[in-house]
Amino acid sequence: MRPTQRVGAHRSTSSGGWPRWAILLAGLAVAIVLAAAGLFALDTLRPQAPPPAETQAPEVVDDPAAIDPSLDASITVLNSSGERRFAAAVGQALADEGWDVIATSVSTPADTTVVWFDSEDLAPVARGLVARLGVGEAQLSEGRLSGTPITIVLGPDAVGTAPSVEPHESMLPDPSQTVPAP
């Protein structure tokens, strides 16, 4: 080998590339951009919940003439309010409007007014009676509570709210009969 010949000339003393910190910074920027793009893609591909359906108000039959004739929508009115002859007065007012009130009676005390019905077919009629009374709630019973499929139990909250008129003798309950409140 010649002494004037350079050894290791294939190695360069200066680097012509990027500094290490710039490469790391560029890699970090690429990772952030890819992560953001992935999250955006996942968000757009995620199944979306359907828009909330418009809730329809439950059907209410507040006109006795609109009741399906094939339904037995006869009514018993029970007085649980403590007011004398209140069931008869409310029953008479409902009968005068065309509702099929069959009987009125006295009931054991109850706190609130409830219109009980024994079949889902009668739910719109029961809600209509609640609307007409201006008080109470309609509830499905687990069977017939009285001799009719709809039983109105008038609580103290109905006094002064429910329509009432002077009852005819036929609407007055038998004072010897007291029906237990459901």
Side-chain angles (χ1 to χ4, degrees), residues 60-62 94 99 113-117 123-139 150-152 161-163:
V60 176
V61 176
D62 56 0
L94 293 174
W99 297 94
T113 299
V114 178
V115 177
W116 295 95
F117 57 97
V125 177
R127 285 190 289 268
L129 284 164
V130 168
R132 180 61 193 105
L133 293 172
V135 66
E137 65 179 332
Q139 290 188 10
I150 299 174
T151 302
I152 301 172
T161 303

Side-chain angles (χ1 to χ4, degrees), residues 63-158:
D63 178 10
I67 297 173
D68 181 359
S70 67
L71 282 177
D72 178 11
S74 56
I75 302 166
T76 296
V77 182
L78 301 178
N79 183 6
S80 185
S81 70
E83 291 289 315
R84 189 170 180 274
R85 298 172 65 165
F86 188 54
V90 171
Q92 185 65 57
L94 293 174
D96 290 348
E97 293 173 6
W99 297 94
D100 187 17
V101 178
I102 300 296
T104 63
S105 188
V106 178
S107 177
T108 56
D111 295 331
T112 60
T113 299
V114 178
V115 177
W116 295 95
F117 57 97
D118 66 5
S119 157
E120 282 295 334
D121 295 339
L122 294 170
V125 177
R127 285 190 289 268
L129 284 164
V130 168
R132 180 61 193 105
L133 293 172
V135 66
E137 65 179 332
Q139 290 188 10
L140 179 65
S141 64
E142 293 182 8
R144 209 162 262 198
L145 301 176
S146 63
T148 59
I150 299 174
T151 302
I152 301 172
V153 179
L154 298 168
D157 58 341

Side-chain angles (χ1 to χ4, degrees), residues 5-31:
Q5 188 178 18
R6 285 180 35 180
V7 177
H10 63 277
R11 293 184 188 174
S12 168
T13 56
S14 68
S15 72
W18 289 26
R20 287 185 187 198
W21 64 268
I23 293 171
L24 287 173
L25 189 59
L28 182 61
V30 167

